[in-house]
Amino acid sequence: MMQREVLWRDMLGTISHNLDREFGQLYALWLREFKVFVRERSRLVASIFTPLLWLFVMGSGLGSTNPTNTGANYQLFIFPGIICMSIIFTSVFFGSYIIWDRKFDFLKSVMVSPATRTTVFVGKTLGGMTNSLVQVAILLVVGYIIGIHFDPLSISQSVVIALILSFALTSVGLTFGSFIESLEGFQLIVSFVVFPLFFLSGALFPINNLPGWLNILTQLNPATYAVDALRGVILGQGINSFQTDIMVLLFFTFVLGILGVLSFRKMKAI
Amino acid sequence: MISIKNVTKTYGNLTALDNLSLDVSENEVFGLLGPNGAGKTTLIHILATLIKPSSGYAVVNGNNILDDPCKVRSSIGVVFQAPSSDDILTGYENIKVHALLYGIPKEWREKRISEVLDLVGLTSRKDDQVKKYSGGMRRRLEIARGLVHKPRVLFLDEPTLGLDPSSRDNMWQYIRKLVEEENVTIILTTHYMEEADQLCDRICFINNGRITAVDSPAKLKETLSGDTIRIRFEDNVNQSTVLSKIEELSLLDFVHNASYTDNWLVITVNNANKNIPKILSYLDNVNWIEYKKPTLNDLFLQVAGNSMDYDDDAEGGFMERYARYDKS
């Protein structure tokens, strides 16, 4: 009896020790990304500029022609889409930092530590998610300024959507970053991913009246569900229910996350 | 502490390491010496589990690098050739990130971080971003980072490459200090003979992926053929006199060899300091005399062979070269 108790205590001790260690490693990897992000403010300024350009120039310009055919304010209509756009660009291009890490040998020093590849992947992803989330927060403030009414529920739901989408897309970026060796190659290949993700997400137009082929492509795009969910939460104009959107989004995220972990495991250490 | 068994590593046609076996004992400072591209860095990368050998294996601190890479990684510290700290973070933050990665318990994390910062003399600069550090400070930071988790083995890959002579001296002092203060086995690669001579208990020469000699610096120097004395005569001395002197000198038991070429009489002897006066007693009209103790450099040239093969490391593309330039 005594022995069994001791055994249990030992086992629990080992597990909690390992968890401590694992969280410590994740915290370390995240902390590093966060400090870099905070110190390189030009990154933030540059990444917030494009969404604002879309929101104000395209939003007002195209808005004058009533493209949604519903009489709804076009600038408000694309606001959830622009949030997703900023997540798409930030998250996928975040994958390039793994290439930088490799170039500047930082990655080597992580690879020689006892952290597993899965931990390295998740830590890096948490960093990317943080970057996206900061931008989303800024855009939500902009949304308030252009006349969107938020309540605590819609804000927290928006944050949940943003976190899930940015996890999925940071995984995509890191997967590409794990096997592409040059930054130029990364930019080129990833722009073939980023623009379809954005244009086929219904960020700029309603998706309930599209021709068949376009409809299929938008249905296959994880961002579509994030845009729809956000539009539902922020404007009450969603097509699917919040739960449906989240479930589909989680499914995509799960698959893309697994892909990311596998590609990190296969990645060369040096 | 480290036992390398028949390790071979090939890249296509190129054999970087050729059936290499080696043992390093605990708390030894072990030098890997060889020209560029000899396979030193490849060996370190294999021992640090960053690449797998094509065949053979190694045991580091009781763990096989093939079966237990994670345990191996916990017990070693690696200081890479190119500095690998993040220059946007401060020195302290870089070390903290690594302390967390190695799972150092909270209770002694901060204490240990200040200990290693102190050891490499960076305490006063710990809150500066690494981009404001000099080359030597960066290397020292890397050493502190490599030591923070109290590894049993520390790998130092070319710790003084690209440092000016005074920073190099400085670095040597820090390395000696850490040998005294930390209970750690050190594997150091270098292509500076002087460095290996100064710091290492044993030296292993590697060339073309093979070991050409392993021993203590003193023993290695003994294997060289003694001190070299070079003598020049006054112009009025003719060659036949010199040649007859050579015959006389060759009979002495401390003389290994004597020859006359290009008007220089070259004699290799044991213990030149003691025997130069004796040699001079045989010779008249000496105009100039010089002598040289053998250095590991001579040994290096002897075992490394053709110097034309040295520089065959890939330089890398523009970005790699830019990255290296930016760092140093």
Side-chain angles (χ1 to χ4, degrees), chain A residues 5-198:
Chain A
E5 251 170 48
V6 170
L7 200 71
W8 266 110
R9 210 181 305 140
D10 271 6
M11 252 176 69
L12 287 177
T14 324
I15 291 171
S16 82
H17 175 78
N18 285 345
L19 274 179
D20 263 9
R21 191 179 173 138
E22 194 83 17
F23 279 123
Q25 291 172 339
L26 285 176
Y27 172 64
L29 293 160
W30 172 83
L31 183 70
R32 184 245 171 178
E33 298 297 339
F34 184 66
K35 295 254 170 180
V36 171
F37 180 68
V38 170
R39 279 177 203 162
E40 300 279 271
R41 261 174 235 124
S42 53
R43 281 189 197 176
L44 181 64
V45 174
S47 59
I48 210 76
F49 179 72
T50 320
L52 292 182
L53 201 65
W54 277 93
L55 192 61
F56 287 104
V57 179
M58 294 303 264
S60 316
L62 276 180
S64 61
T65 66
N66 189 21
T68 59
N69 221 3
T70 58
N73 180 332
Y74 185 65
Q75 193 181 41
L76 294 188
F77 174 81
I78 64 168
F79 176 73
I82 296 307
I83 288 187
C84 288
M85 179 192 111
S86 100
I87 297 174
I88 292 171
F89 279 75
T90 310
S91 302
V92 179
F93 278 110
F94 186 80
S96 68
Y97 292 129
I98 197 86
I99 298 175
W100 275 113
D101 283 357
R102 201 178 298 131
K103 286 229 181 285
F104 286 95
D105 285 318
F106 183 83
L107 189 64
K108 221 196 269 184
S109 73
V110 174
M111 289 303 182
V112 86
S113 83
T116 64
R117 296 292 178 92
T118 310
T119 309
V120 176
F121 172 79
V122 177
K124 199 88 192 157
T125 310
L126 289 176
M129 287 165 72
T130 310
N131 295 6
S132 294
L133 206 61
V134 171
Q135 285 181 34
V136 169
I138 294 172
L139 287 174
L140 288 178
V141 173
V142 173
Y144 178 77
I145 294 168
I146 63 172
I148 291 166
H149 299 290
F150 289 106
D151 56 55
L153 179 68
S154 71
I155 289 180
S156 42
Q157 283 175 323
S158 305
V159 168
V160 169
I161 298 164
L163 284 176
I164 301 176
L165 183 68
S166 66
F167 187 97
L169 296 181
T170 311
S171 301
V172 173
L174 289 174
T175 303
F176 280 102
S178 74
F179 64 85
I180 298 174
E181 282 184 11
S182 77
L183 281 162
E184 298 83 349
F186 182 86
Q187 307 277 5
L188 199 67
I189 294 173
V190 161
S191 46
F192 282 105
V193 177
V194 166
F195 285 101
L197 276 175
F198 172 40

Side-chain angles (χ1 to χ4, degrees), chain B residues 83 119 126 134 154 193-194 209 219 221 257 275 300 312:
Chain B
L119 179 72
K126 73 185 171 80
S134 70
L154 180 68
M193 305 308 117
E194 204 191 343
K219 286 245 178 69
K221 279 190 249 176
N257 189 21
N275 290 320
F300 181 79
D312 49 7

Side-chain angles (χ1 to χ4, degrees), chain B residues 144-293:
Chain B
R145 202 188 63 187
L147 282 170
V148 73
H149 56 292
K150 290 194 184 250
R152 305 303 313 282
V153 183
L154 180 68
F155 294 97
L156 295 173
D157 197 359
E158 307 269 8
T160 59
L161 191 72
L163 297 186
D164 62 56
S166 81
S167 317
R168 189 192 305 177
D169 254 21
N170 208 327
M171 182 62 96
W172 287 349
Q173 280 174 28
Y174 284 112
I175 293 176
R176 279 197 206 99
K177 194 165 141 206
L178 83 91
V179 170
E180 273 167 35
E181 292 180 14
E182 302 275 327
N183 186 22
V184 65
T185 310
I186 296 180
I187 311 283
L188 177 148
T189 78
T190 179
H191 46 220
Y192 300 120
M193 305 308 117
E194 204 191 343
E195 182 162 303
D197 197 7
Q198 291 267 337
L199 298 174
C200 300
D201 299 323
R202 275 202 305 156
I203 296 176
C204 167
F205 279 91
I206 297 186
N207 196 24
N208 291 325
R210 285 198 209 104
I211 295 176
T212 44
V214 195
D215 220 324
S216 68
K219 286 245 178 69
L220 283 171
K221 279 190 249 176
E222 271 175 31
T223 63
L224 284 167
S225 45
D227 306 344
T228 310
I229 303 170
R230 280 154 54 90
I231 295 167
R232 222 180 157 100
F233 294 97
E234 302 286 354
D235 291 340
N236 56 9
V237 176
N238 63 34
Q239 196 166 348
S240 57
T241 353
V242 178
L243 289 176
S244 68
K245 292 288 181 194
I246 285 180
E247 275 176 34
E248 279 178 54
L249 285 170
S250 303
L251 297 174
L252 298 170
D253 59 355
F254 56 81
V255 173
H256 296 294
N257 189 21
S259 64
Y260 190 62
T261 41
D262 296 337
N263 297 326
W264 283 100
L265 173 60
V266 181
I267 315 169
T268 47
V269 298
N270 289 337
N271 202 349
N273 300 42
K274 196 170 154 224
N275 290 320
I276 285 178
K278 291 185 193 160
I279 288 171
L280 284 178
S281 70
Y282 282 87
L283 305 172
D284 304 316
N285 297 319
V286 171
N287 170 277
W288 185 271
I289 182 161
E290 57 189 39
Y291 87 100
K292 211 174 85 183
K293 293 267 179 200

